[in-house]
Amino acid sequence: MDHKQKTKEMIAEVDHALLRYVDHGKHDKLIRAMKHYPEAGGKRMRPIMAILTAEAVGGRGKAALPFGCSLEMVHNFTLVHDDVIDKDPVRRGRPAVHIAFDEPTAIIAGDALFALAYEVLADTDVDGEALRRLLRSVSDTVFLVAEGQQMDVDNEDRTDVSRDEYLDMVEKKTAVLFACAAEGGAIIGGGTEMQITSMKEYARLMGIGFQIWDDVLGIKGDAKRTGKPVGSDIRNGKRTLIVLDAMDKLEKDPRKHVLTDALGNEKASDEAVQAAIRLLEEIGSIDFARKFALDYARRAKDLLSCLPDCEEREMLRELVDYAVGRDL
Amino acid sequence: MDHKQKTKEMIAEVDHALLRYVDHGKHDKLIRAMKHYPEAGGKRMRPIMAILTAEAVGGRGKAALPFGCSLEMVHNFTLVHDDVIDKDPVRRGRPAVHIAFDEPTAIIAGDALFALAYEVLADTDVDGEALRRLLRSVSDTVFLVAEGQQMDVDNEDRTDVSRDEYLDMVEKKTAVLFACAAEGGAIIGGGTEMQITSMKEYARLMGIGFQIWDDVLGIKGDAKRTGKPVGSDIRNGKRTLIVLDAMDKLEKDPRKHVLTDALGNEKASDEAVQAAIRLLEEIGSIDFARKFALDYARRAKDLLSCLPDCEEREMLRELVDYAVGRDL
């Protein structure tokens, strides 16, 4: 079976299990609110990563399915709360949970998804001490995601965010959950300690690359494929790695205003936004971020040498190429 | 040592452990937001119940301390989110988290406390399979609490809430977390299956009694001791068991307007509120709720016969008398 087909079947399996898990409890409205994002689709990268890793270290992929679904629920819970916090009205082409329902319901549905994630985790077919390890990993991870989200909220009003702070935030908001997926998959699959550590690091590096690539797409991406209007990150004033790099490079440059005029200016004309993007291109900031992400991707792929030569290893490699390289 | 002194020392121990646990992570503001409620005090009834139960079934109370703190964190996380949802500006005499900080920080701090609760749970000194059982119990419980909170939100605009619906909500919002505390304490202490089941039911009944008693205090309580102005539940229009009973009794009674004029009317005069309270007293609705709570308390105490005769059993009995009987 080719990898594309196998991935498709894995996604279908995850979708099926996930939606069954989320259909939980006695409160109809709460169930609908919990299902709102999971049923709108998604790439299911975290469960896929957990399943592939479990198989690659010699275990059964099926054994990692509840754990993978648990992380997907965590991911969706953070999206629900993020959208309330950021007042984002749309997600995956549908009204956000707090719009389709209301803010109280969105806060509660997020909490319920989070609780449910642990109920599903408890079903993992591993011995009790391995479960303790998974529990620690998931909880540490969600705590870091919360820290990352708090950094994001705090950084919104700051213009002096450093590159290190930005990368720290990206690691927490995005990379740690991928790291947890691969680490957990390796634990469930019965991998060696070396494999568990390497796979965690593989996924962490991929996660950082994934987010930086997202920054590139937010400026250069094809609107039809990314679903966001071109340059929306500029109008929203997002302090991405690209913008941080440009601010450094333009510090004493008379062209700086071309960027700052459009950045965070919701009323900036299309021409002004295009001019800002051209400037980012000219000074090499977009290319800087692109190379930065590709470097993380390369380092991630190098770590796959901890795995035996197998189909799943190849698919984990392709997963990186998809995460860092997609839609451009 | 007398029980009052022993309880005091247990609370001090819980406070110490709890505040150390909550001082977690690298983000100062997030730590302060997470600590905001725990450091404002509290009765610590859930940890105390877990510790006493572990001891009463023959185990070590210390072994239940992380678990008890974990539930206290869960309790505090739900308070943080509840206050955001209900837009309550004050808690334990201090500004609520979303006022002292802001709404995004309150949502994130609640999530972080919840994640941290599981990190602490993972430290419980029990074998892996007992940990799995605790994990299931805590997760099921938090899910039910979320359902209860959602019912509360939905009921706000309804005038046709039934008594059964109200009791279902009380069970979920309040009783299940107590039940989890006593069940978990019995598991950690190595109790028999019969003791684990009985102690869970003991705490569930106590929790319902506790909340109904709270309704009585909200109408009849001494403002100085409860911290709420007399009759605030009337002005807020809270559909408590007392009000539900009164609405039934007054259905065709010409005096009904005395209650409905004041209920949910924030501008009702003190005289109007006092008249409503007198009416509730005359038709026996306050006494009905009082007896209802005391009946639950009696049934809870009966279940303590599953325990050997010991000091902790006596203290668990006193805990019920405190929960249902306090401040009046």
Side-chain angles (χ1 to χ4, degrees), chain A residues 25-27 29 81 105 108 111 114 118-119 122-124 126 128-129 132 136 139-140 146-147 149-150 154, chain B residues 25-27 29 81 105 108 111 114 118-119 122-124 126 128-129 132 136 139-140 146-147 150 154:
Chain A
K26 291 186 183 166
H27 198 294
K29 185 172 153 199
H81 281 188
T105 301
I108 297 167
D111 294 344
F114 188 14
Y118 283 107
E119 286 196 51
D123 282 342
T124 304
V126 287
E129 287 310 319
R132 189 192 299 269
R136 281 216 174 96
S139 307
D140 284 356
E147 279 195 339
Q149 176 63 3
Q150 185 69 48
D154 294 346
Chain B
K26 290 185 184 166
H27 197 294
K29 185 173 154 197
H81 282 186
T105 302
I108 298 166
D111 294 344
F114 189 14
Y118 282 107
E119 286 196 50
D123 282 342
T124 304
V126 287
E129 286 311 319
R132 189 192 299 268
R136 281 213 174 99
S139 307
D140 284 355
E147 279 195 340
Q150 185 70 47
D154 293 347

Side-chain angles (χ1 to χ4, degrees), chain B residues 224-242:
Chain B
K224 274 186 216 130
R225 296 173 74 179
T226 63
K228 303 195 241 187
V230 175
S232 63
D233 277 4
I234 299 281
R235 281 202 185 84
N236 292 338
K238 251 180 99 173
R239 306 246 140 205
T240 63
L241 190 64
I242 298 170

